[in-house]
Every structure is written in structure tokens, then in C-alpha cells.
Amino acid sequence: MSAIEGAAGGGLSPWAVLTSTASESELGVTASATRARLDDYRLSVIGTSVNIHDRMEFSIARQTFELTTLGGEIEQDIYGGKARLFGDVLYHPLGIWSVGVLHKRLVDGTVPTALGADDTRGTDAYISASKLLFNAFLGRNVLVNGTLRNTSANQGGLLGFGGDQGGRDWVAEGSVGVFITPNWIVGTEYRQKPDNLSVAQEDDWQSLYSAYFFNKHVSLTGAWLDLGDIAGLPSQRGGYVSLQAAF
């Protein structure tokens, strides 16, 4: 699974695991395409990543945010790097721990600047931990992840970085998923957000997701999203679908 920012993870948040199926002696490549349809917006994401010896991950993603009610679109490029610190998601008692960065650049910062954003570029830094718990819920395996992120991004960077109400802040993100079968996981995610723009209140994001792994190379994820207010338009809810191929 890939997050909307290109790194390995759930739809909303990066996880400690790395993309692809690469072992410690291999290189792996992953490609993903994502589409989210909200009440007043549409988000498309195309991304790819490289896993080097299951130790380092490098990713790039292009986000296109269509303002279907207001008119126009916002595009953002995201360049990511992640390093596995230690552990293993399956057998290590503390799971797997990783650190990462996501450098974000808006293609055109006209709308974010008009709303009061301080910058059209910014970098998130985060630390994540993931662990698979065997037979943890009604005999099913459970995957949990926690992420602590330092960021100044407004709406993930789509509305720029910083503003009149603040700048960089620490926010928490978490997810839990239950494997209904070895190939099918159902879960939920929650992502805290900074609130830097007085003219555009920002709410936390949350989702309910279901992902199916056809084999070790191809997976399909669907989700229901609740992203709260975005750029003055309230209660943005809708669906999400993402297709990933990993080698």
C-alpha cells in the first residue's frame, strides 16, 4: 500500500514499512495510481518508489487537486526518502521503526499565497513504527502503525506552508487494520493536522479502508474519507481508490 504522498503506508499516512517486495539483497520498484472524489474536490496521485536492499526507500509523487466547485486546480510534487532504523514488522518484539522526509513543492502557489500561506515549498520529517500482532483480535492478525510528524503543511501542502496562525508543529498519525483473510485487510486511519490559516480552518483527517492483495505484486485499496473543512468548504467526505504494483 502507498500513501497519497508517495511513501509506503496507508492512504493518509506513511508507515514504517518500505515499499515493494525487495529483500536485503535486492532492489524493488513500486508504482501506484490513486483517485479520491470528495464533495467539492477531486484528488489524483501518480507515484513511484524504489526500495534499496530493504533499508532505504526513495519516492516521488505528483498530486493534482481539482477545485470542482471553486474552479481551477493545484498541483504538487513530493520527493520522499525513508530509512529503516531497525526491526521487522513480523517478528521483532518492537516491530519496525523508520525515519523519513517528504519535500513538497507547489507547481503554482497563487491560491495558497492568496489564502495567506507563508511559503509554496516545505519539508515534513517523521518517525514511524509498525507491528503485526498475531492472533490479536478474534484469532485474526492485526497491523498497527504510529507516526509522529513535524510539518508546516496546510492540507498536506496543497494550500502551502505556514500562515498567520502558526508554522511548524508536531502532529500524530495512527492506523490499525485487521486481516480478515491473509489477502484482505480492513482498518481505519487518523491524521492530525496543523491549523495555520485563519481564513481556511483545517480539520484532522480520518478514513475507513479495505485493501485486497491479489498476490505479492498487485493490490487494490478502497476507502471512505472524512477530511473535514477544506479552504472554507465544510464537511468534505467521499471515496478513494488506489491501485499498486510492486516488484
Side-chain angles (χ1 to χ4, degrees):
M1 296 169 60
S2 296
I4 57 173
E5 294 161 314
L12 301 182
S13 177
W15 295 353
V17 295
L18 306 186
T19 55
S20 89
T21 60
S23 69
E24 293 185 356
S25 61
E26 297 175 329
L27 298 179
V29 178
T30 299
S32 63
T34 300
R35 178 73 169 175
R37 183 184 181 94
L38 305 173
D39 294 327
D40 297 290
Y41 304 99
R42 307 288 183 268
L43 175 65
S44 300
V45 185
I46 299 294
T48 187
S49 63
V50 176
N51 181 333
I52 302 176
H53 305 317
D54 199 29
R55 179 62 62 179
M56 298 288 298
E57 172 190 298
F58 297 97
S59 61
I60 182 171
R62 163 62 69 94
Q63 295 180 335
T64 302
F65 192 56
E66 303 171 40
L67 316 178
T68 54
T69 297
L70 301 174
E73 67 179 27
I74 299 172
E75 293 182 304
Q76 179 174 231
D77 293 323
I78 303 177
Y79 305 91
K82 183 193 298 185
R84 178 166 65 90
L85 296 177
F86 69 88
D88 176 87
V89 70
L90 297 177
Y91 303 114
H92 195 285
L94 297 179
I96 180 175
W97 289 71
S98 299
V99 293
V101 294
L102 295 164
H103 180 67
K104 306 176 180 183
R105 300 182 180 184
L106 288 168
V107 176
D108 183 349
T110 301
V111 172
T113 300
L115 292 173
D118 291 335
D119 208 335
T120 59
R121 297 184 179 187
T123 301
D124 296 356
Y126 64 90
I127 183 169
S128 296
S130 302
K131 174 64 177 172
L132 184 68
L133 306 174
F134 295 103
N135 300 318
F137 179 74
L138 299 178
R140 307 295 182 182
N141 297 335
V142 176
L143 180 65
V144 295
N145 183 85
T147 295
L148 188 63
R149 183 192 303 241
N150 185 262
T151 181
S152 63
N154 308 319
Q155 298 297 348
L158 290 166
L159 296 186
F161 304 85
D164 59 302
Q165 293 193 146
R168 301 197 69 86
D169 200 2
W170 288 98
V171 292
E173 305 166 16
S175 65
V176 58
V178 179
F179 278 93
I180 306 303
T181 72
N183 298 86
W184 179 27
I185 184 173
V186 175
T188 183
E189 287 190 293
Y190 192 90
R191 174 173 167 176
Q192 286 187 332
K193 308 287 292 310
D195 189 15
N196 297 326
L197 302 174
S198 59
V199 299
Q201 176 184 336
E202 186 159 354
D203 296 322
D204 295 344
W205 289 351
Q206 52 193 311
S207 74
L208 297 173
Y209 71 85
S210 175
Y212 188 81
F213 304 90
F214 296 95
N215 50 53
K216 68 178 183 178
H217 300 296
V218 179
S219 64
L220 180 67
T221 303
W224 176 85
L225 304 173
D226 183 355
L227 306 188
D229 294 359
I230 298 179
L233 298 179
S235 302
Q236 296 302 309
R237 301 184 178 94
Y240 163 107
V241 63
S242 180
L243 179 65
Q244 175 180 288
F247 299 94

